[in-house]
Amino acid sequence: GDIELAETLRSHLIEKMKDHELFLKHLADMAVQLRPPLGFFKTFVVEKSGEHKDELNLKFKCIAPFIDIVRLYSLEMGVRETATLERIDALKDAHPVVREFGEDMRQVFDFLMLLRIHHQYEQIESGKEPDNFINPNSLTNLEKKTLKEACRGISRIQDAISKQYQPGTVM
């Protein structure tokens, strides 16, 4: 299709976002709804029964909330990029949270995607259908530690979003 049409639409949407705090609040609510899979004692929260017993959904519980955070910040600042890493780079000089945690955010995203790809590659190699469910007990100690730290980082940013937007309240 015509790329210029997409650019025109993107420009229009960015301009409209400037005056729509309520829309950003709804995005913020979505960004904090899905919490990373860490329990009270910083242990992984996994499925208790069913097909994926003792596993966690890496895409649903970690990657999706992270992408929602970056999308929210991008719309707040009028960033035109659509790829997550490009958005983070564009936000480093524009958004206070990303200015402080931008490099950590890049590393979190890279790690989560690499962990997911590695998991799916192993599934394909063993003749299984690839999915996003990872058993934390199958991870190395370094992978577990890094995943926990990534989850804590996502939670800290979600807490900052909650403080700013106060989910559950009407603007």
Side-chain angles (χ1 to χ4, degrees):
D2 186 354
I3 291 287
E4 246 181 78
L5 290 174
E7 286 302 317
T8 302
L9 177 60
R10 185 173 288 117
S11 294
H12 175 74
L13 289 174
I14 287 171
E15 185 62 33
K16 289 292 184 185
M17 286 297 106
K18 290 179 184 174
D19 300 323
H20 282 81
E21 286 293 318
L22 187 58
F23 180 75
L24 292 175
K25 181 176 176 23
H26 285 295
L27 284 179
D29 289 348
M30 286 175 36
V32 300
Q33 251 177 1
L34 292 174
R35 299 299 290 193
L38 280 184
F40 184 73
F41 295 109
K42 304 302 179 206
T43 57
F44 290 110
V45 177
V46 295
E47 298 292 320
K48 300 294 181 211
S49 61
E51 178 183 358
H52 297 289
K53 184 179 186 311
D54 298 326
E55 297 176 329
L56 60 89
N57 187 329
L58 189 64
K59 181 178 178 183
F60 186 70
K61 292 291 193 168
C62 297
I63 297 171
F66 185 84
I67 291 171
D68 286 344
I69 289 166
V70 176
R71 181 181 299 121
L72 170 67
Y73 288 163
S74 296
L75 288 171
E76 277 181 358
M77 305 311 293
V79 168
R80 302 179 63 80
E81 284 77 3
T82 55
T84 302
L85 290 175
E86 291 173 6
R87 283 177 168 172
I88 292 169
D89 289 340
L91 287 165
K92 281 184 182 176
D93 293 328
H95 196 282
V97 173
V98 183
R99 189 177 304 119
E100 183 176 350
F101 299 110
E103 193 53 41
D104 291 343
M105 291 174 74
R106 280 188 68 84
Q107 291 176 8
V108 163
F109 188 70
D110 283 342
F111 172 76
L112 293 173
M113 295 306 289
L114 187 61
L115 187 61
R116 179 179 178 218
I117 290 168
H118 180 69
H119 167 72
Q120 290 178 344
Y121 174 79
E122 287 178 349
Q123 288 181 308
I124 292 168
E125 284 293 303
S126 65
K128 296 177 184 172
E129 186 73 24
D131 63 27
N132 296 297
F133 289 90
I134 292 184
N135 184 330
N137 293 326
S138 69
L139 301 175
T140 66
N141 286 335
L142 180 59
E143 289 171 330
K144 285 181 204 176
K145 182 178 179 180
T146 306
L147 181 57
K148 283 181 182 181
E149 191 55 40
C151 290
R152 281 193 284 272
I154 293 168
S155 290
R156 281 191 295 274
I157 295 171
Q158 287 177 320
D159 292 343
I161 291 169
S162 291
K163 189 174 182 180
Q164 178 183 353
Y165 283 96
Q166 300 173 355
T169 61
V170 178
M171 294 182 89

